[in-house]
Amino acid sequence: MKFKTACFCFSLLVPAGANPAAAMSDGAAGEGMVSMLVSSPIFANGTVRDIRSGINIYLQSEGARGLDFMDPQVTGYGIPPGGRMEVEMLQGFQRDPNIPLAQPSILLVAGTPQQGLPGRDAGYTVSQGRNENTFVIMPKTPRGLTAVDLKTKVPGAKRDPIPQRGIKIVHVGMTMAFVSRGKSGKVAVRIYDGKDKIVSRGTAEMQFLAKPQPQIFPTNIPHGKRNHNWQRVAPGETVGGTNETVPLAFLLFARNEGFGNTGIMGAGVLSAQQLATFRYSTPPALKRYTGGLILQDADGDGLLNPAKDRIIGGFTIAAPKGAKGHQVSTPLVRGALYLSSPTRNFSAEAGKKLGGAIMLLEFIAGNKKGLYRPTFALLSDPEDIASGDGSVYSYSVVVE
C-alpha cells in the first residue's frame, strides 16, 4: 500500500466525557438544528477549562439527526436570500476583546473530517453582532448561500465519490477569541431569512475538561484532504485497500497544551479476532471494547502485543443485525505494521502548526449490507486502564 502526503487542513473531534457506545451520536445535549458541541480536532486542549476555546458545532436536521447529517448524500444548510446566520457563545465563553470576530475566528464547514468553506470561496463575511459574543455570517450577495452550491474547494474533494454540500459544521477558534470558563459552555445557532425571521435554530451545551487528556481526532491531512468518512464498499471489501478508498485517518495528541503538541507515536490497533490469536484475556475494565484495543508499541520492536505493549484505548463496531467478518486493523506496508508517526511525515506545514501524530487504520466490511460505525476511544488516563473513556470519535462506513 502506498500512502501519499498532503498539505495542512482542518479536521474534527470529540465530545468530552462521551462513551464509545454513544460517541458522536448524541454527545453533549443539543436541540433543534444543533446536534452537539465537540472539541476542535486540531487542538489537544480545545475544551479544557480556563484555556482558549477551540470547538466544532455539529448541525443536524429533522430528517437526519446526529451523525447521519454528515452523510454526503444529505445536503446541509444554506442561508436564505437577504438572510444571515448567527452563532452566539451564550455562556461559559469569555471573550478576548483584542481578537475580532472575523473570518479567522470562525469557519463554515462541509462534513467531517471537515472540508472548509472559507468566506472568500463560499461568498460570506463575518462580523460581530448585537453583543460581543455573537458572530454574524452574512452572504456577500442578496442571493444568499444556496446549500447545494456550497462545496469545498480543497483539492482532495474532487476525488470524493459523493461531494459534501451545504453547511454541516461551524468551527470556532482558529484565532481563539474566547476562553472556556466554569464547568460548561453553551452555544446557539440561528438562521434568518430576508424578513428577519428565524427559519432554523438550535442550541447545545458541553462540559469542559478539568485538565488536558490524550485526544483522538479524525483528520483529512493525509491523501490531499479527501473525505475519509462515509466511504462506500461492497461486503467483505477493505476501506483503505480497495479501489479509490483511503484508510480511516486519525490525529493523535498526548496530554499536552497549545500548539506543537506531542503526538502518540507507535500506535495501532488489534482487533478482537487478532487478540484471540494471542490467547489474550481482556481485563474486566476493558471488556466494553468489543471490537478490539488501541495499543502503543512500548519496546520499539514495531509490533503490537497486548501482553507487552501499552493499552491506551479501544473500539466498538455498530453493525447491521447478523453481520459477520467486520473488523478494524493496522495496515501492513512492506510487511511491517504501519503504526502512528509524526504529522510532519504527512505534511510539513501541519506538522509545524499542529504537531501530533497520524494513525491510519483499515476497515474490513462485514458480510451484510448497511451502515457500520466503528467508534474509537482513548482512556482518559492511559496509566490506569480503569480510568474510563476520554476522547472519542466515530467513523461511518456504508456497505452496499
Side-chain angles (χ1 to χ4, degrees):
M1 181 182 299
K2 182 179 180 181
F3 297 113
K4 298 179 179 180
T5 58
C7 57
F8 166 63
C9 65
F10 303 106
S11 66
L12 177 15
L13 184 323
V14 184
N19 66 72
M24 300 297 292
S25 54
D26 296 322
E31 62 178 15
M33 69 178 292
V34 179
S35 169
M36 57 188 163
L37 307 180
V38 301
S39 172
S40 162
I42 57 176
F43 305 118
N45 57 354
T47 59
V48 178
R49 186 181 307 149
D50 297 327
I51 294 179
R52 290 187 179 268
S53 309
I55 66 169
N56 277 13
I57 305 167
Y58 271 52
L59 305 181
Q60 63 183 358
S61 66
E62 290 187 7
R65 310 296 289 179
L67 291 185
D68 291 341
F69 189 65
M70 300 300 146
D71 186 341
Q73 290 188 331
V74 175
T75 301
Y77 285 93
I79 299 178
R84 69 188 185 278
M85 173 185 279
E86 291 185 355
V87 178
E88 184 172 5
M89 315 297 281
L90 286 174
Q91 62 187 46
F93 299 97
Q94 179 182 336
R95 172 72 189 282
D96 180 349
N98 295 315
I99 299 178
L101 300 191
Q103 177 66 97
S105 54
I106 195 169
L107 178 71
L108 303 181
V109 178
T112 168
Q114 66 198 58
Q115 296 173 322
L117 300 168
R120 65 179 180 275
D121 295 332
Y124 63 87
T125 61
V126 179
S127 60
Q128 182 174 303
R130 57 188 173 183
N131 60 53
E132 66 175 5
N133 279 28
T134 299
F135 295 92
V136 175
I137 294 95
M138 185 74 68
K140 291 182 179 180
T141 72
R143 297 189 302 273
L145 298 178
T146 305
V148 295
D149 295 327
L150 281 175
K151 295 191 297 182
T152 185
K153 292 187 177 182
V154 299
K158 295 179 181 178
R159 297 179 58 196
D160 293 340
I162 304 173
Q164 288 279 12
R165 297 173 183 268
I167 305 164
K168 294 191 172 183
I169 295 169
V170 180
H171 172 80
V172 178
M174 279 303 294
T175 53
M176 296 168 141
F178 296 92
V179 176
S180 302
R181 298 293 192 195
K183 294 184 178 180
S184 65
K186 188 174 184 179
V187 173
V189 178
R190 301 177 288 268
I191 297 179
Y192 294 79
D193 65 14
K195 297 181 180 179
D196 206 36
K197 178 183 177 181
I198 295 177
V199 294
S200 297
R201 70 192 310 166
T203 60
E205 187 171 356
M206 75 183 312
Q207 300 297 308
F208 296 137
L209 294 172
K211 58 183 180 180
Q213 295 178 353
Q215 298 287 350
I216 182 169
F217 297 142
T219 184
N220 57 0
I221 289 173
H223 314 109
K225 302 184 184 179
R226 284 280 303 276
N227 182 6
H228 295 66
N229 207 359
W230 288 93
Q231 297 187 76
R232 286 167 159 78
V233 292
E237 290 186 337
T238 300
V239 174
T242 301
N243 298 326
E244 288 297 309
T245 64
V246 291
L248 309 183
F250 299 87
L251 181 61
L252 301 177
F253 290 127
R255 195 194 309 249
N256 293 82
E257 303 176 13
F259 289 100
N261 298 287
T262 301
I264 302 173
M265 308 300 174
V269 303
L270 290 175
S271 68
Q273 295 91 326
Q274 292 171 320
L275 289 169
T277 66
F278 285 91
R279 300 180 182 270
Y280 178 71
S281 179
T282 304
L286 302 175
K287 284 189 179 298
R288 65 188 179 279
Y289 298 137
T290 54
L293 298 176
I294 306 172
L295 298 97
Q296 185 178 21
D297 180 15
D299 56 12
D301 64 0
L303 303 175
L304 294 178
N305 185 324
K308 299 193 305 179
D309 292 317
R310 189 183 189 211
I311 298 171
I312 60 174
F315 58 94
T316 60
I317 305 174
K321 185 177 181 180
K324 298 179 180 179
H326 47 282
Q327 63 176 303
V328 179
S329 64
T330 302
L332 290 173
V333 177
R334 294 184 290 276
L337 290 177
Y338 195 81
L339 302 176
S340 64
S341 62
T343 301
R344 64 176 179 271
N345 292 350
F346 299 84
S347 164
E349 184 179 2
K352 182 178 180 180
K353 290 185 176 181
L354 304 182
I358 300 287
M359 178 176 70
L360 300 179
L361 300 177
E362 294 179 337
F363 178 81
I364 302 171
N367 64 338
K368 298 285 187 181
K369 295 182 179 180
L371 178 65
Y372 292 74
R373 189 161 281 161
T375 295
F376 302 83
L378 294 182
L379 294 170
S380 59
D381 181 358
E383 304 303 324
D384 179 8
I385 63 171
S387 62
D389 298 328
S391 177
V392 181
Y393 185 78
S394 297
Y395 267 99
S396 299
V397 176
V398 178
V399 177
E400 56 188 10

